[in-house]
Structure formats: C-alpha cells, structure tokens
Amino acid sequence: MSKYMQSTIIKRFLLLSAICFSALTISQAVAQNDYMKAVARYKNIKQAAANVTKKQHKKSLKKDIVTTGGAFIMHPDMISISTNEGLDKLVMKGTKFTMTVNGKEHTTDSRKNPQFAAFHDVLTSIINGGTTDITKRSDVSIQKTGTSLSISVIPTAGNDKKKKRVMFSKFVLVIDMNTSAMKLLRMVERDGNFTDYEFSKFVFE
C-alpha cells in the first residue's frame, strides 16, 4: 500500500471519528435539554404527592395483580410509594431502600448494592430538579416520545457473585414533560416479570 493511500485512509478514519463524536455530543446535549425541561418543576417545590395504581405482571398468572395507594416525595432524597393498604411499599430515604411485600420488609443500601446505585442517582436527580447530569451515564438512556420522557436504568451488579443476586434487570421512569409529573415507574425483574406503578393526580407543593 502506498503512503498516499495510507494517508487517505487515516484522514477518512479521523473524519469519521470526528463526525461520530460530534453526533454523540449533539445527542447528549438534546437529551440533557429534554431532561432538564421534564424535571424543571421539582426545583421550586418542597414535596409532591400522587395517587398510585400498582400492577404486578407475572408470566404464571393470566391477570395482573392490581392494588392502589399513594406516593409521597420530599426534598432532597425521599420517595415513598404505598399500596395494598400499606402492606406493600417501596421507599427510598437517602441511600436506603426499603421494599415491603405483604407486610414483610426487605432493606438495602445503594452504596453497598450496585444494582440500586444508578436508580438512586436518577431518583435523587429528578427530585432535585436535575441538579445532577444523568445523561452522560453509560447505564442510563433517555428517550422522548411526544410529551413524555422515558428514562431507562440498566443496573450493574459488579462481580459474577453479585450478578446472581440481582433482582431487577431494568428500571424505567416516565415523566410528563409539560407538567413534570411522574407517569410511570416500571421495575423489570430478571425473569421478565415486572411491576408497574402508575401515577395520577400529581400535586406539587
């Protein structure tokens, strides 16, 4: 291969790399702008509340298990979702997560449990109006569809031993870009079963 051809190939490679980098930068900028718009209202509130419908989808059942309740959010890092007359709860307070199933509590800490680390960072960022840029994280993706913004979190488990203990393979949060209200939280389990929390009548205070 001649030096001219080598030089041409290198130049084309560098040009292609530059184009790809520019496209990625623009894509991240658009995602960041959409995200900041979606969570803007949280900057000026102290708390928020909503009605919740919880739907548990299990492959082994013909119908989803449906319960209702409420959600409460408070600055700077607390969210509580309670359904089934308080027997089922999902609570984040600081880095601590508490899941209550049929009255039985299970607790973990996102600082020690990698599968909840990104989920914690995303929830905290939302509650504080986007003070932390989550759009550059490799374990977070953002997609805008109409007036809804979907934030997907793919948990990382760490080593192989911890991977075996991973309960959730994906978290999805959907936010209304016009009102900043959360519309949906989906928690997908490793086996494909999932739980949806559908929010309605969101009130900011």
Side-chain angles (χ1 to χ4, degrees):
M1 185 182 293
S2 67
K3 291 184 178 180
Y4 173 77
M5 290 182 67
Q6 289 180 339
S7 176
T8 301
I9 291 172
I10 292 173
K11 287 180 180 179
R12 288 179 178 177
F13 174 77
L14 292 174
L15 177 61
L16 181 61
S17 298
I19 292 172
C20 291
F21 179 78
S22 298
L24 178 62
T25 302
I26 293 171
S27 178
Q28 288 179 336
V30 171
Q32 172 67 356
N33 182 65
D34 288 339
Y35 174 68
M36 294 302 295
K37 180 181 178 181
V39 301
R41 194 168 182 181
Y42 290 91
K43 287 183 178 180
N44 302 312
I45 67 161
K46 294 182 179 179
Q47 58 190 36
N51 293 339
V52 178
T53 298
K54 179 183 178 182
K55 297 180 179 179
Q56 292 177 274
H57 177 79
K58 296 182 180 294
K59 296 177 181 178
S60 59
L61 300 177
K62 292 182 179 180
K63 292 184 178 180
D64 292 346
I65 301 171
V66 181
T67 55
T68 58
F72 183 73
I73 297 172
M74 180 176 286
H75 272 247
D77 53 9
M78 196 279 278
I79 178 169
S80 175
I81 304 173
S82 177
T83 61
N84 194 21
E85 299 182 346
L87 291 176
D88 297 334
K89 294 180 182 179
L90 173 63
V91 179
M92 181 191 81
K93 189 173 184 180
T95 58
K96 182 180 178 182
F97 283 84
T98 302
M99 293 185 67
T100 306
V101 182
N102 291 324
K104 186 176 181 180
E105 286 190 359
H106 306 269
T107 62
T108 190
D109 194 303
S110 64
R111 293 172 297 184
K112 299 177 181 179
N113 190 339
Q115 68 171 312
F116 284 93
F119 187 42
H120 164 268
D121 291 347
V122 169
L123 286 175
T124 303
S125 178
I126 292 171
I127 294 172
N128 289 277
T131 52
T132 303
D133 184 4
I134 63 170
T135 60
K136 295 179 181 179
R137 296 186 62 122
S138 60
D139 48 6
V140 175
S141 62
I142 295 177
Q143 182 176 357
K144 178 184 175 184
T145 304
T147 59
S148 294
L149 191 74
S150 178
I151 305 169
S152 297
V153 181
I154 306 297
T156 54
N159 56 43
D160 292 337
K161 186 176 181 180
K162 290 182 178 179
K163 285 180 180 179
K164 294 179 180 179
R165 300 176 184 173
V166 170
M167 182 177 179
F168 299 103
S169 62
K170 189 177 185 180
F171 301 105
V172 181
L173 273 160
V174 180
I175 301 175
D176 189 310
M177 294 189 67
N178 292 331
T179 65
S180 292
M182 291 186 188
K183 299 172 67 176
L184 173 73
L185 166 60
R186 171 169 290 185
M187 303 174 70
V188 184
E189 298 175 24
R190 283 195 310 168
D191 57 8
N193 292 330
F194 60 86
T195 299
D196 281 349
Y197 295 93
E198 299 177 354
F199 303 95
S200 61
K201 297 184 179 180
F202 229 91
V203 178
F204 293 95
E205 298 178 4

